[in-house]
Amino acid sequence: MTKTLTTAALLMTLLPMTFESQARPNPGHTQKGMASFYHDSLHGQKTASGQRYSKNRLSAAHKTLPLGTKIRVTDTLTGNSIVVKVNDRGPFVKGRILDLSREAASELGMIKRGVTSVKLEVLSLPARKDS
C-alpha cells in the first residue's frame, strides 16, 4: 500500500511538468499527424474556449496546445497551408492530432477526403494569465 501511495505521489508531482512542457511549446514547434474537420451539426456549439464554433471561421481543436495558440497547418499531400487559432479541445478519435473548422478544411482542399496528413507549426502562443 505504501509503495502504491509513494508511486502515486511521485506521478502527481511529475504530471504538471509533463503537461506544462506539452501545453507550452515554443513557437516553431512542429507536429505531424492526421487532421479531420468538424461536422456541420456542431455549428453554434460552445467550444472549450467559451467561443461558439463557426464553420465559417478559421479555427481548430488540439488536445494540448494552449487555447488561443496560432498554428500554421500544412496539408502534406498538397502543400496547401493555412493559419488557424486553437479554440477547442480534441480530436477524440485515435490517430488524429487536429480537428479543423469547415472553412479551414475547405481552404486546405481536404473536404472530399475527410481526413488528411498534416504538419502543424506553432506560430504564436497566447499571453500567460499569470504573467
Side-chain angles (χ1 to χ4, degrees), residues 32-33 74-80 116-119:
K32 290 183 179 180
T74 303
D75 184 326
T76 61
L77 299 174
T78 66
N80 295 341
T116 194
S117 175
V118 296
K119 174 184 171 185

Side-chain angles (χ1 to χ4, degrees), residues 88-119:
D88 203 7
R89 292 290 171 226
F92 301 108
V93 175
K94 186 177 179 180
R96 297 189 190 163
I97 64 166
L98 202 62
D99 266 339
L100 296 167
S101 65
R102 183 167 188 81
E103 181 64 23
S106 179
E107 288 192 24
L108 274 184
M110 64 171 281
I111 295 289
K112 287 184 180 178
R113 288 178 277 151
V115 295
T116 194
S117 175
V118 296
K119 174 184 171 185

Side-chain angles (χ1 to χ4, degrees), residues 38-45 52-56:
Y38 286 88
H39 191 273
D40 285 348
S41 66
L42 297 173
H43 182 73
Q45 298 294 313
R52 298 270 176 197
Y53 165 66
S54 172
K55 65 182 182 179
N56 303 312

